[in-house]
Structure formats: C-alpha cells, structure tokens
Amino acid sequence: MDERKWRKSSYSGGENNNCVEVAEEAELRLIRDSKDPDGGFFEVPAAGFAALLGCLKASPRRAA
C-alpha cells in the first residue's frame, strides 16, 4: 500500500476527476495520474517542480 500523502491540484474539480496528483518525498516531487493511481508515477527534483509551477502561474491561461 502506498503510504505517501498524495494531493490534487487546487484547480481540480468537476465530476470526471481529470487531474494529476503530487506527493513530496525528500527533495523530489512525485507526479501521477489521478485516474490511474496504481499506474506509476514519475519523479522530478523539487526545485524543478517549483520552477515549473512558477512558469505556469506567470503564463496567461490558454483554452484547451
């Protein structure tokens, strides 16, 4: 059983559960698909993840 504390984006919502989840582990951030929590995850350095979030927050929102 996965003992990590996964959290969803604050932008998640609606009924279809389409989002990613993130867990913190030492100097890493683990990212997985919320629709397939047993399908694995990938790791990124915490600093890189913080930089990604900073870029996303600074960028204008785009329609999908």
Side-chain angles (χ1 to χ4, degrees):
M1 183 172 172
D2 190 350
E3 299 296 323
R4 294 178 183 98
K5 294 183 180 180
W6 293 93
R7 67 179 196 274
K8 291 183 183 178
S9 165
S10 60
Y11 288 95
S12 299
E15 299 170 11
N16 59 9
N17 206 23
N18 290 333
C19 62
V20 296
E21 294 177 317
V22 177
E24 296 181 9
E25 192 169 280
E27 292 299 315
L28 296 173
R29 297 303 173 260
L30 313 177
I31 304 168
R32 71 180 183 184
D33 184 347
S34 65
K35 296 183 305 291
D36 188 14
D38 296 323
F41 57 86
F42 64 94
E43 303 173 350
V44 296
F49 187 72
L52 170 66
L53 292 180
C55 289
L56 291 172
K57 290 177 182 179
S59 297
R61 293 190 73 137
R62 298 175 191 207

